[in-house]
Amino acid sequence: YRQGVTQQQQGQLEAAIASYQEAIRLNPNLAEAHLNMGVALAVQGKLPEAIASYQEAIGANPNLAEARHNLGNALAQQGKLAEAVQQYQLAIEINPSYAKAHYNLGNVLVRQGERNQAIAQWRQAIQLNPEFAEAYANLGLILNRQGQRREGTEALKKARDLFKSQGKTQQAEQIERILQRLGGGTTAIT
């Protein structure tokens, strides 16, 4: 299992998957091996296999919030939004402070037209992780679309500044362009 983790960190996905398969052969209830194999498969674009691995991880440990979150991500990628929402909600029920689960739940809710619920989830993600630039960006975009310009612009400025401080220059520049179109961007990215 540990060898698989090291291989995965080094980008050796096929070798990592083989190591996880061996670990699972030795211990079929090793939830973390199923989870990590799912992540490696998802990176390879093998969503059906990744989903099966996440489900195996959940079968071995129903309280593994990360497996439920990742299953939600894979289901959302397949357009199975209601199922994704359910998995994110279960991940949050297991771990209420799981900011990424709140964030991704918000992303799926907005795709379902549930803007106010999405806003609530992004606000929760930000409360849990005040450095969550992506959550600020999504919140700012939706608030601006709903006509809440002042609050939306402030969220976008916060996203821009966080992206910049995190070394994510491309995202910071993208937010700056949006702010300029909205008329709220007064400082240029340098």
Side-chain angles (χ1 to χ4, degrees):
Y1 167 75
R2 287 194 176 111
Q3 183 179 0
V5 171
T6 301
Q7 291 163 329
Q8 191 165 356
Q9 289 169 341
Q10 295 172 345
Q12 301 170 11
L13 298 180
E14 289 298 333
I17 290 168
S19 294
Y20 296 138
Q21 287 171 334
E22 178 61 16
I24 290 164
R25 188 185 67 73
L26 296 170
N27 180 0
N29 291 321
L30 187 56
E32 291 78 9
H34 288 289
L35 170 64
N36 288 354
M37 187 161 71
V39 171
L41 290 163
V43 169
Q44 291 181 325
K46 299 177 181 174
L47 285 181
E49 295 92 336
I51 287 170
S53 288
Y54 297 141
Q55 290 169 332
E56 289 288 334
I58 292 165
N61 180 357
N63 292 318
L64 192 57
E66 191 175 355
R68 294 199 177 273
H69 172 259
N70 290 1
L71 178 57
N73 288 345
L75 291 166
Q77 282 182 274
Q78 289 190 328
K80 298 176 180 174
L81 302 184
E83 293 175 57
V85 165
Q86 182 182 22
Q87 291 304 317
Y88 292 136
Q89 288 172 334
L90 288 166
I92 291 165
E93 191 176 304
I94 294 164
N95 180 3
S97 63
Y98 198 163
K100 282 178 92 173
H102 286 282
Y103 169 75
N104 285 318
L105 176 56
N107 292 346
V108 171
L109 288 169
V110 82
R111 286 172 61 187
Q112 292 180 314
E114 301 289 345
R115 285 184 175 181
N116 290 334
Q117 288 180 35
I119 288 169
Q121 291 302 318
W122 292 328
R123 288 185 197 276
Q124 184 64 32
I126 290 165
Q127 184 177 343
L128 293 166
N129 177 4
E131 306 294 307
F132 206 148
E134 294 84 355
Y136 277 105
N138 286 0
L139 179 63
L141 290 170
I142 288 297
L143 289 174
N144 271 292
R145 282 190 199 134
Q146 290 189 329
Q148 299 175 45
R149 294 253 185 219
R150 188 184 56 74
E151 190 180 357
T153 299
E154 288 306 311
L156 286 170
K157 286 179 179 178
K158 181 72 173 175
R160 177 199 58 202
D161 296 344
L162 284 169
F163 280 133
K164 193 174 177 182
S165 72
Q166 294 166 5
K168 298 176 180 175
T169 309
Q170 192 172 7
Q171 292 94 327
E173 289 170 351
Q174 185 178 10
I175 297 294
E176 181 63 28
R177 286 191 294 276
I178 291 167
L179 283 166
Q180 287 172 353
R181 283 196 302 271
L182 294 170
T186 55
T187 59
I189 303 273
T190 56

